[in-house]
Structure formats: C-alpha cells, structure tokens
Amino acid sequence: MVAAIIGGTGMYAIKDLDLHEETISTPYGAVPIRRNDDLVFLNRHGPNHSAPPHKVNYRANIKALAQLGVKRVCATFAVGAINPDFALKVPVILDDFIDFSSGREHTFFDTMKNGVGDVDVSVPFCPVLSNVLEKEVRALGLTVRRGGVYASTNGPRFESPAEIRAYRTLGADVVGMTLCPELPLALEQGMSYAGLAFSINWGAGMTPTIELVHDDIDDIKTNMLRAMINTLAATRDDQCTPARIL
Ligand code: HPA
C-alpha cells in the first residue's frame, strides 16, 4: 500500500528517509519522483522549482501517482492568510476550496477515451486523513488550525487588495495558486487527499506591502513533513472513502 506526499514551495526534501529517484512516464509527460515501498514524494513544481504554479503539469503529476497505485495523498501549500483571525506560520488543515484558476488542464474527463464523469467534491478533503493529520501535527508540538477555505488563484502574480477583500467576502481563509486543479484531479483518480497549508504572508492590502516570512520556519516545515509521513503510516487505503464520480 503506497501513499504520497506532494511537497509545495519550500518543501523539497524529506530528511531521514531512504528514497530512491525514479522517473514515471505518463500519457501527459514524465514525472520525477522519489520513493520507497511505502511512500512516494513528489515535488509539485518539479526539480529546482522549475514550473511556476500556472505551468505545473498537474495531470502528469497526479497520473504518475495513480500509476504507482497511490490512493492516499497529503499535500502542503505555502499560502497567504486572508482571514484576520488566522496567524502566519500556523499550519492549517484545509477543509474546502474555491477555484479561481483558469486556462489549466483541469480534468481527466475530457476525451471519450478517458470516459466522462463529474466528480462529487462535496467532501473535498478526506476527513479520516485530516483527523489523523491534526493529531500527528499536534503530537510534534505544533499549533495547528483545523479547517480553512483555500481560494485557488491563477498566479503567478499576487492578488490586488480588492481581490483579497472579494475572496474574504466569499468565505476564503487563505489564498494560493496550486490547489486547483491538483485536488480535483486527485479525486478524479479515486484518491483521498488531505491538505496542510502554511501562511507565509498576509494577503494584499492587509499589510502595506506583501512581506514574506522567512525566519524560524525550517523546524515547522520539517515537522509538517514528519506529521504527513506519520499520518500516511498510521492510515490505510480502506479507511478512506474516495469521492464519488457521478
Ligand atoms: N497569494 C497567492 N499565493 C500565495 C500567497 C498569496 O498571498 N502567498 C503564498 N502563496
């Protein structure tokens, strides 16, 4: 039973784990990964962060995991906080999203060859994985926020202050550029997915200029990765309920 971690910005390596490199060929392109028998680690943005958010080959990434038999995914995201009650540097376990991205290959259900289907995203993030993840993050001594709505924008530019106010009015808590289409594609492939976001700035207009946090975050990031490894080790595929394809 193999499960996957998708590492976002700043989460490029897993220390203390013996992983070998492999390149997986998919109909959408080749995907470099690192893995052992239980765990696949995928850098979302590719080697050396070579793909900006709007150029990430999301379908190839998710297809590569599917071909390896992955059914459970924990993914990290560097985000901006737009809910003033949130705090920077406090990991958030995501529970919903709004998709503002555009112009991306966002589905596998686009040819008769792949079949047609509408994935039900009523429960976008797996409650079982999210529960265990919360416990594992806390067990490592980190504060964690349970529940957050991710506004997924196109990037690579940051937002305008009015956009941030609009997203907040619509119910978003954090903003980032990569959850969509990654999450819906994973659900289309029958995977269960938990998301752990990490706020590195306040949204545009909430501070005079965007200031990215760089200090004192290495330990938090290491522990976030550890918590995801522990979560995947403590769960099994058959405990999770994949999204339905209608
Ligand atoms: N906006 C969009 N994406 C981001 C941000 C932001 O403020 N911070 C980190 N990723």
Side-chain angles (χ1 to χ4, degrees):
M1 215 181 270
V2 64
I5 291 176
I6 303 181
T9 301
M11 304 274 195
Y12 303 121
I14 296 194
K15 292 180 202 142
D16 318 325
L17 270 191
D18 193 18
L19 303 177
H20 64 267
E21 296 188 9
E22 218 172 294
T23 298
I24 310 298
S25 318
T26 79
Y28 306 100
V31 179
I33 52 118
R34 276 168 287 158
R35 65 171 299 190
N36 62 22
D37 288 345
D38 307 315
L39 189 74
V40 181
F41 184 75
L42 169 67
N43 276 337
R44 175 180 294 123
H45 294 274
N48 307 315
H49 201 111
S50 45
H54 62 298
K55 294 286 187 189
V56 170
N57 192 341
Y58 294 95
R59 292 202 299 185
N61 282 353
I62 294 299
K63 196 67 182 178
L65 299 183
Q67 287 176 201
L68 292 169
V70 167
K71 293 284 179 207
R72 282 165 297 132
V73 175
C74 285
T76 67
F77 303 90
V79 294
I82 67 175
N83 179 340
D85 294 337
F86 279 38
L88 300 189
K89 302 199 277 187
V90 171
V92 181
I93 296 178
L94 301 168
D95 65 357
D96 211 341
F97 71 94
I98 312 176
D99 185 3
F100 296 104
S101 68
S102 60
R104 301 178 179 195
E105 297 287 0
H106 64 285
T107 181
F108 291 107
F109 295 134
D110 62 344
T111 67
M112 289 316 283
K113 199 168 114 260
N114 291 343
V116 286
D118 308 296
V119 67
D120 175 6
V121 296
S122 303
V123 185
F125 293 93
C126 173
V128 174
L129 291 178
S130 300
N131 284 342
V132 178
L133 186 57
E134 178 180 4
K135 204 179 88 216
E136 296 292 349
V137 177
R138 287 193 202 286
L140 291 169
L142 294 187
T143 310
V144 59
R145 182 154 195 131
R146 183 64 191 265
V149 177
Y150 182 119
S152 198
T153 61
N154 221 32
R157 70 168 174 83
F158 277 18
E159 299 70 36
S160 68
E163 285 171 330
I164 292 296
R165 287 196 300 276
Y167 298 155
R168 181 70 198 124
T169 303
L170 292 173
D173 297 304
V174 297
V175 63
M177 303 175 190
T178 53
L179 181 71
C180 294
E182 180 177 284
L183 165 66
L185 288 168
L187 300 185
E188 284 186 357
Q189 291 292 317
M191 296 175 193
S192 300
Y193 187 108
L196 194 57
F198 183 65
S199 300
I200 55 168
N201 61 281
W202 291 105
M206 297 174 75
T207 49
T209 53
I210 299 256
E211 302 297 339
L212 302 179
V213 173
H214 293 294
D215 295 337
D216 307 322
I217 56 174
D218 287 350
D219 284 354
I220 304 174
K221 289 194 298 191
T222 303
N223 279 329
M224 285 170 61
L225 284 172
R226 262 198 206 117
M228 293 193 291
I229 295 169
N230 295 346
T231 297
L232 295 173
T235 52
R236 295 189 319 269
D237 293 352
D238 63 7
Q239 294 173 306
C240 303
T241 308
R244 290 185 312 148
I245 310 290
L246 303 173

